[in-house]
Amino acid sequence: MSYELYYWTGIPGRGEFVRMALEDAGADYVDVARVKGDGVIEKLAKEVATPSFAPPVLRDGEIVVGQTAAILLHLGPKLGLAPRQAAARLWVHQIQLTIADLTVEAHDTHHPVDVNAYFEEQRPEARRRAAAFRQQRLPKFLDWFETVIARNPGRSGWLAGTRASYADLSLFHLVAALRYAFPEAMSREMRGRDRVAELCRRVAERPRIAAYLASGRRLPFSESGVFRHYPELDG
Amino acid sequence: MSYELYYWTGIPGRGEFVRMALEDAGADYVDVARVKGDGVIEKLAKEVATPSFAPPVLRDGEIVVGQTAAILLHLGPKLGLAPRQAAARLWVHQIQLTIADLTVEAHDTHHPVDVNAYFEEQRPEARRRAAAFRQQRLPKFLDWFETVIARNPGRSGWLAGTRASYADLSLFHLVAALRYAFPEAMSREMRGRDRVAELCRRVAERPRIAAYLASGRRLPFSESGVFRHYPELDG
């Protein structure tokens, strides 16, 4: 039976972290809202005993799970994208949660004071938050990813263990998203962060990922999404 | 062997979600920084193969795990504070991740544009973010917790299953923290949210929690913490 992914149509958003894992594994899945419309997301939340606060949501038979990192915690072992050992699995999950934290911070650069108002209604605040993000937070997170790869006892160039995990796929997508949103800052900040850059190159070369990135299934970034490019927020 | 918790001294912060579980279970643990000083947190991060981006961090023998929700995912079953079935465990974890999301949003009311600057340097932005939080986000999250308790097939009054889990303890702490930070808004918003209120009452009455709350180990909320009371942000 195929997996069902529920996520807003039209943007890669947080759903993309899940898609990356499904695509890399060659899993059979349906992107339900892209077939039936966004209404199915609310409908699902009304029906189930485990309603998610927000999408993405994954249905896997009887299991309906939300929160990106929890979805990947569930899917990882089934897709061959998580280590076998429990402690190593927990570590990969912890990395994924830190990727989620950086995602929130990147989102909040364009919506610092009111998530329900337009960017245009909070531009001065966004400029200030984006500057703090670029100068302080982004380098700190990138340093952490470099350290994690460097300290991996598996010495594989991946974040954890000797094989790629869903966290590596997510880091690839996160870096791609940050390069879209903050091209100038990322061009500067990726200098010397060779481990992260090399990991991203290796993910892009994985055959199923390469095919996915070239396909119509991979949605483009845009100014409706979680990661947005506003030149005034970059630099 | 006792658990070691690493978290900043002086504030309950995110460490408190972990303490609530350890205390409720009567677990043997050391709050390491409160014994040896905050320096041990950075020292630990420098030594281990799995450095956490930020505290809290738990050391359990060979395992060193960060990210509050990941710590509780690990501890829950060992402390008897998680369901036995894998799907139910995943659901409790998903609830905990949503508690973490609300925690970030509550924190960002007083630090909306620069986490490294003082509140006093971002007061107008904080007022705007806090208004959006109180009017839109807080009611939405509280409604979600009400729905989760109402839909629990275990009909136990807890968030999931028939017994209290670490997520119930965390929700108690979160509501206490929000009541501290936003007394007016919470007094208004808790009206009619009887399931959440009742759950909190039941947590407070658990013997080990009651003893803990009355002890010197329970740190007070303050304006150095994650949840802060600034009257201009309430209302």
Side-chain angles (χ1 to χ4, degrees), chain A residues 43-113:
Chain A
K43 188 163 175 288
L44 180 72
K46 281 190 181 144
E47 288 171 1
V48 296
T50 57
S52 190
F53 184 76
V57 177
L58 181 89
R59 188 199 279 270
D60 174 14
E62 294 293 301
I63 290 173
V64 178
V65 55
Q67 286 276 2
T68 310
I71 294 172
L72 290 167
L73 180 71
H74 171 71
L75 276 180
K78 302 183 73 167
L79 301 180
L81 288 168
R84 298 230 166 122
Q85 206 220 350
R89 260 185 214 185
L90 188 64
W91 172 231
V92 168
H93 183 56
Q94 180 181 338
I95 296 169
Q96 190 68 37
L97 290 172
T98 308
I99 288 171
D101 286 347
L102 177 48
T103 300
V104 170
E105 294 198 24
H107 167 273
D108 283 7
T109 58
H110 56 77
H111 275 79
V113 287

Side-chain angles (χ1 to χ4, degrees), chain B residues 8-72:
Chain B
W8 308 124
T9 56
I11 63 166
R14 286 177 173 83
E16 195 64 15
F17 296 111
V18 182
R19 281 189 204 103
M20 287 291 293
L22 293 166
E23 292 282 350
D24 185 77
D28 184 18
Y29 77 100
V30 181
D31 218 326
V32 186
R34 285 170 81 177
V35 178
K36 298 186 179 174
D38 282 344
V40 293
I41 298 170
E42 204 169 315
K43 187 162 176 290
L44 180 72
K46 282 189 181 147
E47 287 170 2
V48 296
T50 57
S52 191
F53 185 75
V57 176
L58 181 89
R59 188 199 279 268
D60 174 14
E62 293 294 301
I63 290 174
V64 178
V65 55
Q67 285 276 2
T68 310
I71 294 171
L72 290 168

Side-chain angles (χ1 to χ4, degrees), chain B residues 8-223:
Chain B
W8 308 124
T9 56
I11 63 166
R14 286 177 173 83
E16 195 64 15
F17 296 111
V18 182
R19 281 189 204 103
M20 287 291 293
L22 293 166
E23 292 282 350
D24 185 77
D28 184 18
Y29 77 100
V30 181
D31 218 326
V32 186
R34 285 170 81 177
V35 178
K36 298 186 179 174
D38 282 344
V40 293
I41 298 170
E42 204 169 315
K43 187 162 176 290
L44 180 72
K46 282 189 181 147
E47 287 170 2
V48 296
T50 57
S52 191
F53 185 75
V57 176
L58 181 89
R59 188 199 279 268
D60 174 14
E62 293 294 301
I63 290 174
V64 178
V65 55
Q67 285 276 2
T68 310
I71 294 171
L72 290 168
L73 180 71
H74 172 72
L75 276 180
K78 302 183 75 168
L79 301 180
L81 287 169
R84 297 225 170 126
Q85 206 220 348
R89 258 184 216 186
L90 187 64
W91 172 231
V92 169
H93 183 56
Q94 180 182 338
I95 295 169
Q96 190 68 39
L97 289 172
T98 308
I99 288 171
D101 287 346
L102 177 47
T103 300
V104 170
E105 294 198 24
H107 167 273
D108 284 6
T109 59
H110 56 77
H111 275 79
V113 288
D114 190 345
V115 74
N116 292 318
Y118 289 108
F119 162 67
E120 288 72 16
E121 298 174 83
Q122 48 197 313
R123 288 171 75 161
E125 296 92 341
R127 279 196 291 271
R128 191 165 163 204
R129 174 128 191 181
F133 174 77
R134 293 189 320 263
Q135 291 156 23
Q136 297 158 36
R137 303 298 290 171
L138 179 61
K140 190 176 170 182
F141 276 101
L142 292 175
D143 278 343
W144 185 76
F145 292 120
E146 282 284 315
T147 300
V148 168
I149 301 168
R151 288 205 202 159
N152 178 0
R155 296 178 178 280
S156 58
W158 301 118
L159 289 160
T162 54
R163 298 174 54 201
S165 72
Y166 61 79
D168 296 295
L169 306 176
S170 286
L171 181 57
F172 163 86
H173 178 65
L174 178 63
V175 168
L178 291 167
R179 282 187 189 280
Y180 171 82
F182 306 99
E184 270 194 54
M186 282 297 281
S187 161
R188 182 179 63 246
E189 295 301 334
M190 286 300 286
R191 267 178 235 141
R193 266 105 181 189
D194 297 339
R195 291 181 182 90
V196 172
E198 177 60 16
L199 180 150
C200 292
R201 269 190 294 275
R202 288 170 70 195
V203 170
E205 284 169 5
R206 290 166 74 86
R208 288 204 191 95
I209 293 295
Y212 170 59
L213 296 177
S215 78
R217 298 192 301 286
R218 170 82 167 176
L219 292 161
F221 296 110
S222 75
E223 283 56 71

